Amino acid sequence: MDGVKEFINHTCSDLNVTLTVRERDTPGCTFHIEEFCLLIGECKKVCFGNELNPFLDCIYACYCNFGQCAKTELAVRKRGCEVDKFINFTPKILFLNAGPSIVISSLFWDHTC
């Protein structure tokens, strides 16, 4: 199993996204950091790991538009916790706005961009 996931931007801003890939199965140990831009409405499949290191430790997203900035982060603190299950066993991650804030959600059904 390689680290591959689809990211969808349903916010009103272009996002800068940073993925921290866990080394093996130990939260807090970083194997790799993957950064990418996700334009408004864009859906992007991102490869971020390999067979030995397929798990994310953190998803971080931010934007700055016209002086208004927002950021959000989901980070694994303990292996097997709800955040760990969410970011590693959800094939599609969805970014939404809640007012000026960024919310990270998911799509569980098979939906093509």
Side-chain angles (χ1 to χ4, degrees):
M1 169 173 104
D2 290 342
V4 178
K5 197 170 292 293
E6 209 167 311
F7 296 88
I8 305 161
N9 183 358
H10 279 301
T11 70
C12 301
S13 304
D14 295 344
L15 296 175
N16 292 315
V17 180
T18 303
L19 307 176
T20 303
V21 182
R22 180 185 316 160
E23 185 172 355
R24 304 278 179 160
D25 60 356
T26 307
C29 294
T30 301
F31 165 73
H32 175 70
I33 294 176
E34 184 72 33
E35 298 177 313
F36 59 95
C37 182
L38 198 59
L39 303 176
I40 297 170
E42 185 177 15
C43 176
K44 185 181 281 187
K45 192 172 279 193
V46 177
C47 300
F48 54 81
N50 60 30
E51 263 185 47
L52 296 177
N53 303 289
F55 298 112
L56 291 174
D57 225 23
C58 180
I59 298 174
Y60 173 85
C62 66
Y63 74 83
C64 249
N65 285 339
F66 309 109
Q68 183 173 2
C69 300
K71 63 182 177 179
T72 191
E73 176 181 67
L74 276 177
V76 175
R77 300 292 181 231
K78 181 179 176 190
R79 186 171 166 229
C81 71
E82 291 304 313
V83 172
D84 191 17
K85 292 175 190 173
F86 175 77
I87 68 175
N88 285 301
F89 298 103
T90 302
K92 298 179 186 203
I93 298 292
L94 180 66
F95 297 100
L96 303 162
N97 280 118
S101 301
I102 305 166
V103 175
I104 300 175
S105 188
S106 66
L107 290 174
F108 286 103
W109 60 89
D110 185 18
H111 172 73
T112 308
C113 295

